[in-house]
Amino acid sequence: MSRARTILVIGGGAAGNAVTILLRRAGLAVDLIEARDDWNATAGSGITLQGNALRVLRELGVWEQVEASGFGFGSVGITAPDGTVLHVQDDLRTGGDDLPATVGMQRPRLQRILIEAVRASGAVVRLGTTADIVDQDADGVSVRFDDGSEGRYDLVIAADGLGSATRAAIGIADRPEPTGMAIWRIAAPRPAGLTRTDLAYGGPAYIAGYCPTSDSTLYAYVVEAHRDRAAIPAGSHADEMRRLASAYGGFWPEITEHITDPAQVNYTWFERLLVEGSWHRGRVVLIGDAAHCCPPTLAQGAALSLEDAWVLAQSLTGSDTWDDALFQAYYERRIARVRPVVEASVQLGQWQLDGVRDADVPGLMARTMTMLRELP
Ligand SMILES: Cc1cc2nc3c(=O)[nH]c(=O)nc-3n(C[C@H](O)[C@H](O)[C@H](O)COP(=O)(O)OP(=O)(O)OC[C@H]3O[C@@H](n4cnc5c(N)ncnc54)[C@H](O)[C@@H]3O)c2cc1C
């Protein structure tokens, strides 16, 4: 009988956790290493999960927990800066009609659900661990862990995010590029009556928005032109976000009352990355933000990362031969779907940066989301 194939997954974010769960289910031996000791179990404010993300979460077997922990809704409001609702648009159910269009979730809650599923899968998990690729040949990859120990795997999956050290180590030179925008985010209590995302365009920021993440919580965000991060003292983050947020009406005054602790306010630049040509070198293959990333104007980054995990797991478990042709087919299948989402996400922000007033925002959004309804 042939030896069971072994896989090293580098990075325990949405992509790495998802691919681990799916490969373990198929009986493959998976080691997952994660650089952070805490596995990011408490990090972040909220996340908007579109139907196509929910479809993968259902495939992972965690949909019931996601549904019970998050806040499902089916429309988005467009408001004036003073809070007047100008338009309410039904969201497309990109995961199919049996899933909500959108679920808002606390990011730490989603991460903990995925962590529990990885643990239950029987994968070997090593936290606070990184690895260097030492060598690879047609049969596998040799790695050295940061404690000096070594390992040999049939395949390494690089799910180590936007700044992927593994991507650089295998000679893929692409780096994320700033798009010119930045976002202030905070988690806060959910005001009664706030039951969907509303987006205000105009005012002192490009976008002010929020998303309910549970019966009692939401996350709120304000998007502006990016600034020199070094020139924004960490201690001023709450003041900076409150200054922008206080210009907005509707539910914003209630939300703004909670923008007080600078340690709870996150400031992040929007970035773009799309590795073209192939996402593998030999037997090291990229998934998730390590291969592509888009600004969250369509809230699709984690959704695409989860889809990568699903498609790669299907490819690996559906073939006895793990070779260039298989990894190239995985890339071709994903790039046709990922490229238009990255381009649309960047375009939506660029129109705002350029002050284009007659841009076909609804048309671009509708075309992109309609495409995402197809199975990945
Ligand atoms: C402001 C903002 C808002 C967003 N909002 C949304 C949204 O609403 N909806 C949505 O779908 N997407 C959203 N995204 C995108 C989403 O967060 C990412 O696409 C998603 O987290 C990518 O998952 P990943 O697993 O590929 O990478 P990550 O989540 O970055 O995970 C990578 C993991 O690898 C670990 N790691 C890094 N280096 C190493 C190493 N050398 N060795 C071992 N481990 C390592 C990290 O600690 C981390 O745990 C948003 C992104 C931003 C910036």
Side-chain angles (χ1 to χ4, degrees):
M1 208 172 79
S2 65
R3 178 182 63 83
R5 287 187 285 189
T6 57
I7 298 162
L8 176 67
V9 175
I10 302 180
N17 292 337
V19 81
T20 298
I21 295 162
L22 294 169
L23 294 174
R24 282 296 304 139
R25 187 181 299 158
L28 299 172
V30 185
D31 291 357
L32 182 149
I33 59 169
E34 163 54 45
R36 288 183 59 104
D37 291 324
D38 66 355
W39 206 341
N40 283 311
T42 57
S45 50
I47 185 160
T48 302
L49 297 168
Q50 313 279 5
N52 62 319
L54 304 178
R55 179 161 56 195
V56 184
L57 292 167
R58 183 173 60 190
E59 190 64 26
L60 298 178
V62 299
W63 163 239
E64 280 73 21
Q65 289 142 278
V66 168
E67 185 180 28
S69 312
F71 194 102
F73 54 97
S75 61
V76 60
I78 306 299
T79 75
D82 69 2
T84 307
V85 178
L86 305 173
H87 179 65
V88 177
Q89 172 81 41
D90 281 343
D91 283 329
L92 200 71
R93 291 176 182 256
T94 51
D97 291 339
D98 50 350
L99 287 167
T102 310
V103 167
M105 276 205 84
Q106 296 169 0
R107 266 193 194 249
R109 182 74 193 112
L110 175 64
Q111 178 69 353
R112 286 200 292 271
I113 288 171
L114 293 174
I115 286 172
E116 279 169 30
V118 170
R119 294 279 190 206
S121 78
V124 176
V125 177
R126 293 172 64 180
L127 300 180
T129 302
T130 59
D132 290 326
I133 310 291
V134 177
D135 190 20
Q136 63 164 314
D137 54 35
D139 295 327
V141 188
S142 300
V143 303
R144 183 175 302 113
F145 299 103
D146 56 354
D147 65 358
S149 62
E150 298 194 347
R152 171 91 181 159
Y153 296 89
D154 294 291
L155 177 70
V156 172
I157 298 176
D160 47 350
L162 193 53
S164 174
T166 317
R167 181 182 64 227
I170 59 171
I172 297 179
D174 302 70
R175 296 279 178 280
E177 291 167 2
T179 70
M181 288 179 153
I183 187 166
W184 297 92
R185 287 179 295 172
I186 192 165
R190 181 176 72 90
L194 187 160
T195 56
R196 61 159 190 252
T197 287
D198 287 315
L199 300 171
Y201 292 96
Y206 288 116
I207 307 167
Y210 42 72
C211 171
T213 51
S214 75
D215 284 343
S216 56
T217 57
L218 57 68
Y219 76 103
Y221 44 92
V222 185
V223 177
E224 61 166 357
H226 73 205
R227 291 187 260 157
D228 179 3
R229 281 173 279 212
I232 311 174
S236 72
H237 278 193
D239 293 342
E240 290 280 357
M241 184 174 179
R242 202 174 46 248
R243 179 180 58 76
L244 290 164
S246 58
Y248 294 89
F251 289 112
W252 275 99
E254 238 180 293
I255 295 168
T256 305
E257 277 175 29
H258 299 279
I259 308 174
T260 52
D261 179 358
Q264 301 302 318
V265 176
N266 178 269
Y267 178 74
T268 311
W269 281 17
F270 284 180
E271 295 186 280
R272 173 206 184 274
L273 171 76
L274 188 60
V275 175
E276 297 270 7
S278 63
W279 290 352
H280 75 288
R281 294 291 182 274
R283 287 197 174 214
V284 181
V285 60
L286 309 178
I287 62 171
D289 273 15
H292 51 78
C293 120
C294 44
T297 43
L298 285 167
Q300 274 295 321
L304 293 180
S305 301
L306 289 165
E307 286 188 358
D308 287 353
W310 193 18
V311 170
L312 181 61
Q314 284 171 19
S315 306
L316 294 172
T317 57
S319 173
D320 289 333
T321 313
W322 292 355
D323 58 7
D324 261 353
L326 178 134
F327 297 122
Q328 197 59 27
Y330 152 72
Y331 163 79
E332 301 291 348
R333 195 167 149 193
R334 291 306 295 149
I335 196 75
R337 189 165 167 108
V338 168
R339 188 187 288 115
V341 177
V342 172
E343 287 176 352
S345 301
V346 172
Q347 181 65 75
L348 289 167
Q350 194 60 46
W351 277 331
Q352 289 197 288
L353 285 166
D354 294 343
V356 178
R357 295 196 162 270
D358 57 353
D360 182 19
V361 172
L364 181 58
M365 283 185 163
R367 281 194 300 281
T368 312
M369 298 315 263
T370 301
M371 183 264 296
L372 289 170
R373 231 180 109 86
E374 301 295 318
L375 281 174

